[in-house]
Amino acid sequence: MNLVRHFIDGQEHQAAAERTGKITNPASGEVTAEVAFATVAEVDLAVAAARKAFQQWRHSSLSKRSTVLFAFRELVARHADDLARTLTLEHGKVLSDARGEVQRGLEVVEFACGIPQLLKGDYSQGVSHLVDSYSIRQPLGVVAGITPFNFPAMVPMWMYPLAIACGNTFVLKPSEKNPSTTQLIAQLFNEAGLPPGVFNVVHGDKVAVDRLIEHPDVAAVSFVGSTPIAKYVFENGTRNSKRVQALAGAKNHMIVLPDADMELAADSVVNAAYGSAGERCMAISVLVTVGEAGDRLMPLIKERIADVKVGDGLEGSSDMGPLVTKEHLDKVTSYVAKGVDEGAELAVDGRAVTVDGRPNGFYLGPCLFDRVTPSMTIYQDEIFGPVLCTVRVATYEEAMDLLRHNQWANGVAIFTNDGGAARKFQTEVEVGMVGVNVPIPVPMAYHSFGGWKESLFGEMHVHGMEGVRFYTRAKAVTVRWPDPSQRGKNLGFPTQK
Ligand code: NAD
């Protein structure tokens, strides 16, 4: 059986794996490969390779870095279909969605290609007599990325293009559930001319993560995943004096006001709740209908759900693929049962779905709950599957109250034709990413991505200028060229003259 290996210092790590994990095709339930789980010594090897490479890479010219990134951009674009197919085979999402994920990741590579412009410093001439001053940003050193299963291509691309462009070297620990996309990426970096050791990959579990967040030679950690692990990585990483950004879980609400375009709102909520089988951190998982919007919207949503075709993600006819693992399918299904027990109205039950020729795949059809209340578990927990909870409220203020009391604050959307209401909403809502008649407001690479509250631990979002700031630190230089007029005794604190 094929073994997915670590990638250290420009090559696959050939040593026999002490521990491995299984990789499963969620569409068929078949085990297709194994992945090596790194030991502490293997993580140390990757960090050592990255540390050694940093000594050279930090001094590489900005044009050398952008030349490599441009070449990498071309290679990723040329291999977009291979990357998409690889990730569909291990994640389950439909191919068109996988291609979209690669495309959105590529946009960060394109942003990073502009590093000569992004890293320009500030210069002040004559801050004092014959004194000039300038500010520059320098790389941190070895940076680690730890990423989740749900975007095996895009989420790592939020991190390494900018980290590397800023002059750092990188060690990535992707999800053990779908690691093969990253192997292809590592090969493409080699082909693009990135020096060995600048981009390394270690696979594995808690052992690898724990070593990365305690390793004295790792300067910063970017993490994306569930809230408990994000909190753990943030607390332990910062305790070990690392700079940490940890993007976490979500429960994104979509508010529909009575004046909204109901056809558009129905299309949008179905696309955003069931796309990628709900396994998106920006998926809509709670629909909040205000006033009469609920009665008008429900039949339109049911009509559209009836049209969603569940199947193998490689089949062009499928709209929605399987869930990532059997364990995750069982967990999501148990939430559906819990919702029924707690008294929510299961308006559409996807549990009986079957897919021809795929009896062992991890499939669940779209599930729609109506009349959910905030005290129910299905409202409070992140389910991360194709389960949409509808909460009916009477007023805009009640909808805002729900958001105020929600622990997560990743994305949110409002649907309305009232510009004043939309403006009021975007100003007062305490959520990191806001959509107005846009259900999944994922910012472009030149803006930053990140939530508030329990959806982000740390100061800075990913990509955009926030990403440049995260992967660099500031230095201010004050310069005076010797001049006889500066001589003489003066023990006072330097002030401007
Ligand atoms: P996860 O937290 O289980 O895993 C994320 C990473 O942490 C993986 O690399 C995994 O190997 C590692 N990990 C898991 N358990 C660990 C432990 N006990 N100790 C140390 N490391 C551990 O997340 P997941 O299930 O892969 O991904 C889904 C989650 O990610 C959802 O909660 C989703 O909302 C979140 N997510 C958030 C964003 C965002 O931008 N906020 C984006 C994508 C996904």
Side-chain angles (χ1 to χ4, degrees):
M1 186 166 285
N2 182 38
L3 177 70
V4 177
R5 296 175 181 279
H6 315 300
F7 185 86
I8 299 174
D9 209 10
Q11 52 191 315
E12 289 201 346
H13 181 64
Q14 293 303 330
E18 276 178 25
R19 290 185 308 134
T20 58
K22 290 189 182 351
I23 304 174
T24 307
N25 178 354
S28 63
E30 278 169 79
V31 174
T32 52
E34 283 184 310
V35 55
F37 278 10
T39 59
V40 167
E42 284 165 331
V43 174
D44 287 357
L45 215 56
V47 174
R51 186 179 149 88
K52 183 162 157 265
F54 178 64
Q55 302 314 325
Q56 300 282 320
W57 185 247
R58 65 179 306 184
H59 297 301
S60 59
S61 69
L62 294 173
S63 44
K64 161 83 179 168
R65 295 183 208 164
S66 57
T67 301
V68 171
L69 284 162
F70 267 114
F72 178 68
R73 190 253 162 234
E74 288 307 298
L75 287 163
V76 172
R78 201 180 310 150
H79 290 274
D81 283 346
D82 304 332
L83 287 162
R85 199 182 150 78
T86 305
L87 78 86
T88 287
L89 281 168
E90 294 182 356
H91 176 287
K93 65 177 71 175
V94 299
L95 262 183
S96 55
D97 195 32
R99 282 197 199 97
E101 162 176 357
V102 174
Q103 178 55 37
R104 293 304 303 263
L106 204 52
E107 286 163 9
V108 185
V109 182
E110 288 163 356
F111 178 68
C113 285
I115 197 66
Q117 176 69 17
L118 301 174
L119 269 189
K120 263 170 146 177
D122 294 323
Y123 190 95
S124 301
Q125 189 175 27
V127 294
S128 185
H129 182 57
L130 294 178
V131 177
D132 302 328
S133 187
Y134 54 94
S135 306
I136 53 174
R137 298 201 68 92
Q138 294 192 311
L140 306 174
V142 179
V143 173
I146 301 159
T147 53
F149 81 83
N150 67 320
F151 284 107
M154 182 185 77
V155 167
M157 280 189 188
W158 287 348
M159 304 171 180
Y160 60 75
L162 264 182
I164 289 172
C166 289
N168 302 284
T169 53
F170 205 84
V171 179
L172 175 64
K173 207 303 280 173
S175 171
E176 65 279 23
K177 298 189 176 94
N178 37 32
S180 297
T181 314
T182 299
Q183 288 313 96
L184 192 45
I185 289 291
Q187 288 160 20
L188 298 182
F189 260 138
N190 265 2
E191 242 180 275
L194 190 73
V198 177
F199 178 75
N200 308 275
V201 184
V202 289
H203 297 289
D205 55 2
K206 185 170 165 52
V207 172
V209 170
D210 283 350
R211 183 58 184 152
L212 284 171
I213 59 178
E214 71 173 28
H215 198 299
D217 290 337
V218 172
V221 177
S222 296
F223 173 91
V224 177
S226 60
T227 292
I229 311 298
K231 211 168 181 171
Y232 170 82
V233 167
F234 181 76
E235 287 173 358
N236 289 287
T238 49
R239 188 172 301 126
N240 288 312
S241 307
K242 295 177 198 330
R243 185 179 288 192
V244 182
Q245 55 179 180
L247 283 75
K251 192 88 178 176
N252 306 310
H253 291 44
M254 172 169 148
I255 319 283
V256 182
L257 300 187
D259 74 308
D261 176 337
M262 292 299 161
E263 297 285 338
L264 174 69
D267 285 338
S268 301
V269 75
V270 168
N271 296 343
Y274 304 118
S276 198
E279 293 170 326
R280 290 183 184 141
C281 57
M282 290 291 275
I284 292 294
S285 45
V286 179
L287 169 67
V288 183
T289 59
V290 178
E292 66 188 44
D295 284 344
R296 291 172 54 205
L297 210 44
M298 269 302 145
L300 303 179
I301 294 175
K302 287 185 198 164
E303 233 172 65
R304 284 159 175 78
I305 289 179
D307 205 32
V308 172
K309 173 129 188 344
V310 179
D312 187 328
L314 288 183
E315 303 285 339
S317 57
S318 304
D319 298 311
M320 192 177 111
L323 290 165
V324 68
T325 57
K326 175 76 169 67
E327 295 69 40
H328 192 53
L329 171 67
D330 291 344
K331 182 176 156 197
V332 175
T333 312
S334 75
Y335 273 114
V336 179
K338 182 105 185 146
V340 174
D341 286 350
E342 288 184 337
E345 191 180 308
L346 186 57
V348 178
D349 185 353
R351 287 176 293 180
V353 81
T354 54
V355 173
D356 283 349
R358 298 280 183 275
N360 300 318
F362 311 139
Y363 298 99
L364 174 66
C367 297
L368 173 66
F369 276 110
D370 197 1
R371 302 189 189 280
V372 173
T373 63
S375 62
M376 293 177 182
T377 315
I378 53 169
Y379 177 80
Q380 289 171 0
D381 290 5
E382 182 184 35
I383 299 175
F384 219 55
V387 181
L388 177 64
C389 297
T390 310
V391 181
R392 295 183 182 228
V393 296
T395 62
Y396 169 85
E397 265 315 315
E398 268 182 69
M400 290 305 286
D401 231 38
L402 282 174
L403 290 169
R404 254 177 239 124
H405 290 104
N406 202 266
Q407 60 170 310
W408 287 294
N410 210 38
V412 72
I414 189 164
F415 275 67
T416 178
N417 281 322
D418 180 340
R423 188 174 186 284
K424 180 175 158 59
F425 179 78
Q426 65 190 269
T427 307
E428 64 189 19
V429 72
E430 295 193 355
V431 177
M433 292 171 283
V434 182
V436 176
N437 298 313
V438 174
I440 305 190
V442 175
M444 297 299 286
Y446 35 91
H447 290 268
S448 66
F449 180 110
W452 289 13
K453 297 190 196 167
E454 298 273 299
S455 293
L456 173 76
F457 300 90
E459 291 294 303
M460 277 179 258
H461 288 187
V462 290
H463 62 65
M465 288 311 291
E466 292 263 297
V468 175
R469 277 190 282 275
F470 183 78
Y471 293 124
T472 53
R473 54 188 166 170
K475 184 180 271 181
V477 182
T478 306
V479 180
R480 180 173 70 193
W481 291 102
D483 182 272
S485 65
Q486 300 292 321
R487 293 197 190 131
K489 186 168 74 175
N490 178 1
L491 274 61
F493 193 68
T495 53
Q496 295 167 17
K497 283 190 191 137

